Amino acid sequence: MNRRVLVIDDDPAIVRLLRTILVREGFEVSGAEDGEAGLARASLEKPDLVVLDFELPKLDGIEVLTRLKVDAPDLPIVMLTGHDDIKLAVRAMQLGACHYVTKPFDPDEITVVVRRALEMRALTTEILDLRRQVGGAAGLDVQMGGSLAVRRIIEQVKTVAATNFSVLIQGETGTGKELVAAALHKQSDRRSKPFVALDCGAIPEALLESELFGHEKGAFTGADRRRTGHFHLADSGTLFLDEIGNLPLGLQAKLLRVLESRQLRALGAGQPTAIDVRFIAATNNDLQARVTEGQFRSDLYFRLAQYTIALPPLRERPDDVPHLAERFMHEIGVELRRPMQGFAPEALLLLRSHAWPGNVRQLRNVIRQAVLESKDLVIDRATIERFVGAMATVPGAPSAPVHSGRSLKEIADEAALEAERRVICEVLRETQGNKSQAARALKTDFKTLHVKMKHLGIRARDFEL
């Protein structure tokens, strides 16, 4: 089936020209002459790509772009702009456009841009499919790792998912709070209903109330149309509020009323409406400390924390690092079309030993850069070292205490394991991955070495020549 392209432009000559160019390349092309007609056609035809002009009757290109992205976030949109509209083009890219082309355009240029945009969409779809295959609470071990700490989290998710308890997820930035929230939703009876997420720290305070509760047309200056809030979008499903500690005190009181009454009144609305929402919140702050400081309401805290899940930082679960690194390497390899074979043992050692102040998000960023710049199919220590070093010196990045709350025995045990790991890797390198020879060199039996290697995450094949 040919891929469908929708051209939204009020100049019939441009629509005809693009139809001629793209049909010749095997696309199906339809046209719309204004913003409202374009939105209607997009809703009806479900195009694979939209070519959108800035200057349109009824609704301008930016408004059409915004609405299209709400309905279909992954829809690639190419903007058409004049030479004097570069600032608008930059704004469009920030709002989700994948490219812009200036008029008059070259036929070859528009063809390349459209094909590249569709290829990127196909890659994005492939990556999302891979993520969906490992989704849900049953896949948290794949998403987060197989350490004891992760197994405890999985058990907590299974325990509370089927209830209507409000859940508070606590953890440093980048530890996977939204992953756990999504797993709670997918394990619940609401799994077929919406899962709606809102980052309270990413939205200006003046807009938060409207984002949460919605507003009616004319509710305030600039409210030229009705807006549905996140509570209503999540009705019958789950609402996940990330960084709940950033919620202003005034909104905390309104949120508490909604949670207690299960009724919500949008800004400017005459009557409240009943809602049925499972509520999950997350924070990287110590909310109890903020309660003591008078920055967070104690009654809201106890309403949120009917059940609490605490996510440990990555530095406290180093056994998960090799698994996560391999997973990110393969995922990013698909994205960048660079299939990788693995990591050199010294690279994995470095990854395990790093403190990861930015947690899993930082690890993924390092692996992304390493896959991009690696000269070989196996990522070596030098490549990792370059990016780990750069990330470790980011201004303002939190540094992990050496003891990290651990006892002296725990520190000594970890140091002993690290010493064993280094020696085993060194001997395996000398024996080119021959475990029998390595066991003799280490004066131990084959079974003991095999068990030790499995526990330490060492693979003999990584040392074979």
Side-chain angles (χ1 to χ4, degrees):
M1 182 178 177
N2 291 340
R3 286 171 291 182
R4 298 182 299 274
V5 176
L6 171 62
V7 180
I8 307 176
D9 197 306
D10 62 334
D11 185 345
I14 292 292
V15 177
R16 284 196 302 271
L17 175 60
L18 285 170
R19 181 180 282 115
T20 300
I21 295 169
L22 296 176
V23 166
R24 190 173 58 218
E25 297 295 325
F27 298 104
E28 292 181 7
V29 180
S30 60
E33 69 281 358
D34 61 58
E36 289 185 356
L39 289 172
R41 273 195 174 274
S43 177
L44 179 66
E45 297 177 358
K46 307 297 182 188
D48 298 297
L49 180 139
V50 171
V51 179
L52 175 62
D53 191 25
F54 275 106
E55 299 294 332
L56 292 169
K58 298 184 180 179
L59 293 174
D60 65 30
I62 290 293
E63 178 67 19
V64 174
L65 167 67
T66 304
R67 293 198 192 183
L68 286 172
K69 281 297 180 181
V70 169
D71 294 335
D74 63 337
L75 176 65
I77 300 175
V78 176
M79 304 299 297
L80 293 178
T81 176
H83 287 292
D84 297 330
D85 294 331
I86 300 303
K87 288 185 178 179
L88 273 176
V90 172
R91 185 182 173 201
M93 298 287 282
Q94 292 171 339
L95 291 172
C98 64
H99 211 294
Y100 68 90
V101 176
T102 56
K103 299 177 183 177
F105 49 80
D106 181 87
D108 291 337
E109 178 191 9
I110 196 74
T111 301
V112 168
V113 166
V114 167
R115 289 199 176 281
R116 190 171 295 160
L118 288 169
E119 286 175 3
M120 286 305 299
R121 186 191 194 189
L123 278 174
T124 301
T125 302
E126 187 176 351
I127 291 167
L128 290 174
D129 286 342
L130 286 172
R131 289 175 179 170
R132 276 192 286 270
Q133 290 172 18
V134 297
L140 278 179
D141 56 341
V142 178
Q143 294 174 296
M144 299 180 70
S147 65
L148 178 61
V150 173
R151 293 201 297 273
R152 287 172 179 160
I153 293 166
I154 292 172
E155 287 304 313
Q156 287 183 289
V157 168
K158 290 178 179 177
T159 297
V160 75
T163 74
N164 274 321
F165 280 28
S166 295
V167 179
L168 179 64
I169 305 172
Q170 297 176 313
E172 295 178 7
T173 298
T175 49
K177 296 187 287 294
E178 187 164 352
L179 280 179
V180 174
L184 281 165
H185 173 73
K186 291 172 184 176
Q187 283 284 295
S188 75
D189 295 337
R190 301 171 183 262
R191 66 179 69 89
S192 62
K193 303 298 182 180
F195 174 78
V196 178
L198 179 68
D199 186 347
C200 298
I203 298 174
E205 184 175 330
L207 300 179
L208 257 178
E209 184 171 2
S210 177
E211 290 289 331
L212 273 173
F213 307 120
H215 66 251
E216 297 295 325
K217 182 178 180 180
F220 52 84
T221 303
D224 56 351
R225 62 179 62 87
R226 184 176 182 273
R227 182 180 185 85
T228 303
H230 280 64
F231 263 106
H232 278 304
L233 292 174
D235 198 20
S236 300
T238 302
L239 177 62
F240 171 57
L241 291 190
D242 200 4
E243 305 309 344
I244 191 75
N246 291 313
L247 207 62
L249 282 168
L251 280 186
Q252 291 177 28
K254 293 182 179 180
L255 176 59
L256 179 62
R257 282 198 296 273
V258 172
L259 294 177
E260 295 286 359
S261 68
R262 296 290 169 177
Q263 290 192 321
L264 180 144
R265 178 179 295 174
L267 291 171
Q271 297 294 327
T273 56
I275 58 166
D276 174 24
V277 171
R278 167 74 175 283
F279 194 82
I280 302 174
T283 180
N284 62 3
N285 297 312
D286 184 343
L287 282 192
Q288 287 183 311
R290 291 177 70 83
V291 168
T292 303
E293 295 164 359
Q295 296 178 332
F296 202 86
R297 295 178 61 106
S298 60
D299 46 4
L300 178 58
Y301 171 77
F302 290 116
R303 183 62 181 78
L304 295 175
Q306 292 181 339
Y307 191 87
T308 301
I309 298 177
L311 306 187
L314 190 55
R315 63 181 173 272
E316 292 181 8
R317 48 188 187 97
D319 289 345
D320 292 326
V321 172
H323 168 85
L324 289 168
E326 292 271 356
R327 178 185 153 221
F328 293 149
M329 178 195 70
H330 291 302
E331 184 178 289
I332 294 161
V334 170
E335 177 187 345
L336 301 180
R337 295 192 182 279
R338 293 205 67 198
M340 307 296 292
Q341 293 181 354
F343 295 87
E346 298 89 344
L348 283 178
L349 285 176
L350 179 57
L351 290 170
R352 283 183 59 97
S353 63
H354 189 61
W356 300 113
N359 292 294
V360 179
R361 190 172 294 135
Q362 180 191 3
L363 172 62
R364 189 179 192 281
N365 192 44
V366 166
I367 302 305
R368 170 181 286 274
Q369 295 176 83
V371 170
L372 179 64
E373 294 204 4
S374 179
K375 306 301 181 187
D376 301 306
L377 296 178
V378 175
I379 299 174
D380 60 20
R381 179 186 175 97
T383 302
I384 294 294
E385 199 164 40
R386 185 160 71 255
F387 299 118
V388 164
M391 291 296 292
T393 58
V394 171
S399 58
V402 173
H403 62 86
S404 297
R406 298 170 295 169
S407 68
L408 189 61
K409 182 179 184 305
E410 288 172 324
I411 295 171
D413 289 345
E414 186 173 314
L417 284 174
E418 192 60 39
E420 286 184 342
R421 184 181 292 107
R422 288 197 182 98
V423 171
I424 291 171
C425 287
E426 183 179 340
V427 174
L428 284 169
R429 194 175 303 109
E430 292 173 355
T431 61
Q432 299 179 9
N434 188 312
K435 288 194 286 186
S436 297
Q437 292 182 19
R440 288 194 293 271
L442 292 167
K443 298 181 180 179
T444 188
D445 60 273
F446 182 90
K447 183 178 179 181
T448 299
L449 178 61
H450 175 77
V451 170
K452 183 74 71 174
M453 288 173 60
K454 186 175 181 180
H455 176 66
L456 295 172
I458 301 172
R459 302 180 304 184
R461 66 175 180 268
D462 291 334
F463 300 87
E464 295 173 357
L465 296 180

